[in-house]
Amino acid sequence: MTVVPEAVEATGGAASGLLARERTIAGPRFNRWFVPPAALAIHLCIGMAYGFSVFWLPMSKLVPGAASCGGIGFFAQLFGGSCNWTVPAVTHIFETFIAMLGISAAIWGGWLEHAGPRKAGFIAALCWGGGLVIGGIGVSMHQLWLVFLGCGVLGGVGLGLGYITPVSTLIKWFPDRRGLATGFAIMGFGGGAMIGAPIAVALMARFTHGDVPGVASTLMVLGVIYFIAMSAGAFGFRVPPSGWKPAGWTPPANTNSLITAKHVHLNRAWKTPQFWMLWIVLCMNVTAGIGVLAMASPMFQDVFGGRLLGIDAATVLTATQKASIAAAAAGLVGLISLFNSLGRIFWASISDFIGRKNTYIVFFLLGIVLYCSLPTLGHMGLAGVFVLTVCIIMSMYGGGFSTVPAYLADIFGTQMVGAIHGRLLTAWSVAGVAGPFLIAAVRQAQLDAGVAKNLVYDRTLYILAGLLLIGLIANLMVRPVKEAHHMTDEELARERSLQHEAPHVTAHADQAARGSFGIVGVVAWALVGIPFLIGVWIALSKAAALF
């Protein structure tokens, strides 16, 4: 008797390639709770994008004894190899891969729906891991253009594909808890820096030779590690056959007009007013959140200064006192990472009960109050309340990312939610570039006007609150999609045929994924859960400096 692998058994043959979608359709022994660890394996790796700031300063010290490239301009630095790159020049890498994240997700989101999560996830692993390796080679050759090509462009493509692949898959596996499902994956993106940044710092210290920081070797080692982990996640994916539902679950009577049982094709979805209202919602939430994220540490130090140590604000600080204040600011950054990550699963889970639209109303109304209160809290010297307020803001920033995929599934259906989500992520690209530019421009304009350092953030925070008001208005304008935009039965059948799903698989969808959790589930969750908990411990250890 021949033993037929589950993936082949589910598709009825072995003619398709190993990465093909039809090889990933779940058989009866699969359990849907195996999917979140696979998603987390990918998102915890690409989440290192948030931790790239650990490289900026070391990358400006790669040529011992050489002068800074500050006098030759950015484009000259791309190809110059005899001077040290400036910190502002290398920080554009972050903007590049965030821009590429949205662009690649928008371009290849439709392809993902047909190709399946295994192929998309594996290509994401190649791009993100390979991009870091190429970036490391660029650092070793001291060619900034190659670092941008590897980490920024190729790595950004890996970010885009890696970001949307698990989200699209999880929504289909958890029709009963869409918010919880997307929260699991996107929590990993928020928490990736908690794990990756300390590893990067330790590796740079290990690979440092003399006065040359070990950036190149660190990037290459991380690239290999991330490629392996993301590939494991990609091969762990399975997709449910069309018509599959959790055992014992029946769709409840629809009392929310915003939740549709129909599906909207990508080609129509992005032309609807609902799509663009949600685009504005995400863009405003992200722009405001990035504003606080970018200036949290310097704002905390400038606003409170010596008052954190019980010293009068006018007192000149010693080097030791400045170091203590910097440590407290680093503790705030650790807390921000933690709340950014945990807020993703918390708010997305809450949205399953109160609805996506109401969740965003909370984000915007509460956010406006909190953003406007930060200047007052700073002037009053209430550092503890200030920190708590920033943490809540960051939880809603992360929650906005994890709630929007479920919002899209409610409005446009689940058939092409990954592709639609990919298009919507262009809002993140815009916010990732415009947000830091806006913050820097407003801050510099006030400094040039003679505004005191501890006051320059006030106007910026009020501007960010104004962006949240725009997001609130856009969210209130979201309405159900018109019937004319829904796919007909024939269109839906044609779309599903492109997924190469054998007819007998759909006919037996009710028998799929009925396996037990077992030792496989325990091991899978431990492999992602233990590193995540270590990251949480590190973040809390840093935060201890605040108390």
Side-chain angles (χ1 to χ4, degrees):
M1 180 178 177
T2 303
V3 178
V4 182
E6 184 180 346
V8 177
E9 179 185 354
T11 58
S16 56
L18 186 62
L19 298 177
R21 184 185 185 278
E22 53 266 38
R23 292 291 295 270
T24 66
I25 299 175
R29 295 185 296 275
F30 190 73
N31 186 296
R32 66 172 176 164
W33 285 100
F34 298 165
V35 181
L40 279 166
I42 290 180
H43 269 238
L44 285 171
C45 293
I46 62 176
M48 178 55 190
Y50 275 135
F52 247 67
S53 59
V54 300
F55 294 118
W56 304 149
L57 191 59
M59 285 174 70
S60 69
K61 301 177 179 179
L62 295 173
V63 186
S68 170
C69 297
I72 67 173
F74 171 69
F75 290 102
Q77 291 184 58
L78 286 176
F79 303 97
S82 60
C83 56
N84 277 310
W85 305 324
T86 63
V87 171
V90 296
T91 56
H92 290 310
I93 295 171
F94 178 83
E95 297 164 15
T96 302
F97 60 55
I98 291 299
M100 288 304 301
L101 184 158
I103 293 169
S104 59
I107 292 174
W108 289 296
W111 167 82
L112 160 66
E113 297 291 355
H114 305 146
R118 179 181 292 177
K119 182 179 292 185
F122 184 69
I123 292 175
L126 284 172
C127 291
W128 181 237
L132 294 183
V133 171
I134 292 172
I137 295 172
V139 170
S140 67
M141 296 172 59
H142 205 63
Q143 291 295 312
L144 188 56
W145 68 270
L146 191 56
V147 183
F148 270 83
L149 177 63
C151 297
V153 178
L154 187 60
V157 173
L159 287 178
L161 285 176
Y163 192 90
I164 61 176
T165 294
V167 171
S168 171
T169 306
L170 281 166
I171 282 179
K172 294 178 176 66
W173 273 117
F174 290 85
D176 49 336
R177 295 295 300 276
R178 290 173 179 171
L180 174 69
T182 57
F184 267 126
I186 298 179
M187 175 184 69
F189 192 89
M194 292 192 302
I195 304 170
I199 292 175
V201 171
L203 287 174
M204 281 191 287
R206 170 66 179 81
F207 292 126
T208 293
H209 294 288
D211 295 329
V212 181
V215 179
S217 298
T218 297
L219 285 172
M220 288 187 270
V221 169
L222 284 178
V224 173
I225 293 173
Y226 287 153
F227 169 74
I228 294 171
M230 292 174 69
S231 296
F235 278 87
F237 279 130
R238 296 291 185 273
V239 295
S242 297
W244 179 87
K245 294 183 295 186
W249 179 78
T250 55
N254 189 2
T255 58
N256 187 341
S257 61
L258 284 178
I259 302 178
T260 182
K262 301 288 186 178
H263 307 275
V264 181
H265 197 281
L266 170 66
N267 294 338
R268 293 177 189 156
W270 77 274
K271 299 176 183 177
T272 63
Q274 288 84 356
F275 176 89
W276 290 105
M277 289 301 103
L278 289 176
W279 192 96
I280 294 171
V281 163
L282 182 62
C283 188
M284 294 301 102
N285 190 65
V286 173
T287 303
I290 282 180
V292 173
L293 190 64
M295 64 185 181
S297 177
M299 177 172 61
F300 188 64
Q301 295 177 71
D302 290 342
V303 169
F304 292 100
R307 289 186 293 177
L308 292 171
L309 307 176
I311 301 171
D312 185 82
T315 304
V316 177
L317 300 174
T318 65
T320 302
Q321 290 168 336
K322 289 180 179 179
S324 298
I325 293 171
L332 175 60
V333 172
L335 275 182
I336 284 174
S337 298
L338 183 60
F339 275 79
N340 179 17
S341 179
L342 297 182
R344 295 171 185 240
I345 191 169
F346 173 79
W347 288 109
S349 300
I350 291 294
S351 76
D352 283 330
F353 298 99
I354 69 173
R356 325 303 170 194
K357 188 172 185 176
N358 288 336
T359 301
Y360 271 98
I361 288 174
V362 172
F363 290 164
F364 291 128
L365 287 178
L366 180 58
I368 290 170
V369 173
L370 295 181
Y371 277 69
C372 291
S373 69
L374 283 176
T376 302
L377 295 174
H379 300 327
M380 296 174 65
L382 299 175
V385 183
F386 185 95
V387 168
L388 178 61
T389 301
V390 170
C391 289
I392 296 173
I393 286 173
M394 282 296 99
S395 78
M396 296 190 294
Y397 166 73
F401 281 115
S402 58
T403 303
V404 81
Y407 206 164
L408 291 172
D410 290 349
I411 298 291
F412 298 108
T414 60
Q415 182 62 35
M416 301 200 74
V417 67
I420 298 169
H421 185 217
R423 292 281 175 91
L424 194 81
L425 287 180
T426 54
W428 188 4
S429 296
V430 171
V433 174
F437 176 80
L438 172 67
I439 301 309
V442 172
R443 183 178 186 274
Q444 191 59 47
Q446 293 186 88
L447 288 173
D448 293 343
V451 178
K453 263 191 172 184
N454 65 323
L455 300 177
V456 296
Y457 303 98
D458 294 12
R459 183 174 300 176
T460 304
L461 289 165
Y462 294 139
I463 291 173
L464 296 181
L467 296 180
L468 293 180
L469 179 59
I470 295 173
L472 174 63
I473 294 170
N475 184 55
L476 294 174
M477 293 176 67
V478 174
R479 297 288 186 272
V481 174
K482 292 180 179 179
E483 288 284 339
H485 295 305
H486 293 154
M487 282 193 277
T488 63
D489 292 341
E490 292 77 15
E491 290 172 327
L492 182 59
R494 181 181 180 280
E495 184 60 36
R496 286 177 173 169
S497 71
L498 296 175
Q499 298 177 335
H500 308 292
E501 193 168 307
H504 80 274
V505 174
T506 303
H508 295 88
D510 60 327
Q511 300 174 17
R514 304 307 186 201
S516 61
F517 188 75
I519 188 65
V520 174
V522 173
V523 171
W525 275 96
L527 287 174
V528 294
I530 292 174
F532 181 79
L533 291 176
I534 292 173
V536 170
W537 174 256
I538 293 172
L540 290 174
S541 298
K542 290 181 179 178
L546 282 167
F547 306 102

